[in-house]
Amino acid sequence: MSGLRAMLDITDLGADALREVLDLSRRPIVELGRPLEGDGVALVFEKPSNRTRHSMEMAVVQLGGHPVYTRGEEVGLDSREPVEDVIRVLAGYHRIVAARVFDHGHLVRMRDADVTTVVNLLSDRSHPMQALADVLTMSREFGDLSGRTVAWVGDYNNVARSLSEASLLLGMEVRLACPDGYHASVEELERLSRLGSGSVTQSADPRVAVTGAHAVHTDTWVSMGQEDDAAVRRAAFAEYTVDGALMEAAATEAIFMHCMPAYRGLEVTAEVFDGPRSRVIEQAHDRMHAARGLLAYMAGAR
Ligand code: CP
Ligand code: NVA
């Protein structure tokens, strides 16, 4: 193995490892060999998924391993049995345990059990597998990302945090545009600003963030588990729709990105989401290439 025992956040990688993972993600599958030959990879999902499940399952198969999917209800983290019992048992079957959880603390406890390699497939805190794909897509478009500008419009959520971390590690300028109550705290901005060689700023005004930006990202206003707050959230984000006029303020070569699932007419207009600047489908497909790169890295492929 690579020595990397867990990826709960992009910061578990650091800049050098992130670059190595991206290099592995770009390599033809045949060059990676079959570093997971004969190995199991557990995929535990407490929330729904389309992209993450399919991209992880295919990436495991491409590396010679065997993915085993289980729904959160079947595993019952801390309800059917304690998280520590679950991970100690799964460690006997699988080389890697990957999980999508409501509570990031459950991933921390899995990692701290120190019995196997743990990967975050989305938590309330972060979505590092998404961020790997995000920077892979942007690098295909722009080459070296250092000095390029990424704008985030909307909720400072799990996807925003991981995208900010990855972008900063690669030397990008990160500009956040988030409404009051849904923004990054001062402490969080300070933490981000200490990562890598990039820079981070925050504003309440989407135009400030987007003007001259090379990639404009957004995400749903209502993440999984926040459905009870949907009305309040939609009101708070009403001025944060990414539309054609906002994209006009971006750089001439700017692209639009979204982790999906997307809600046309809310966080993004159909015109932008389905328009020529949109890279959302390439970004979704990059989930598989990025997952393969990360798993290959963790399995020791170089
Ligand atoms: N972007 C993403 O993680 O999508 P899924 O929820 O479909 O996995
Ligand atoms: N922020 C969203 C991302 C979905 C992939 C959520 O957590 O539901």
Side-chain angles (χ1 to χ4, degrees), residues 100 122 127 157-159 219-220 223-224 259-261:
R100 168 168 285 196
L122 181 146
H127 196 1
N157 60 13
N158 43 11
V159 174
D219 184 16
T220 180
S223 284
M224 292 180 273
C259 62
M260 301 172 84

Side-chain angles (χ1 to χ4, degrees), residues 45 47-55 100 121-122 127 130 159 224 258-261 287:
F45 282 81
K47 305 178 185 183
S49 171
N50 179 19
R51 282 144 290 272
T52 307
R53 177 179 178 183
H54 283 271
S55 60
R100 168 168 285 196
L121 298 180
L122 181 146
H127 196 1
Q130 180 65 53
V159 174
M224 292 180 273
H258 191 308
C259 62
M260 301 172 84
R287 292 293 310 273

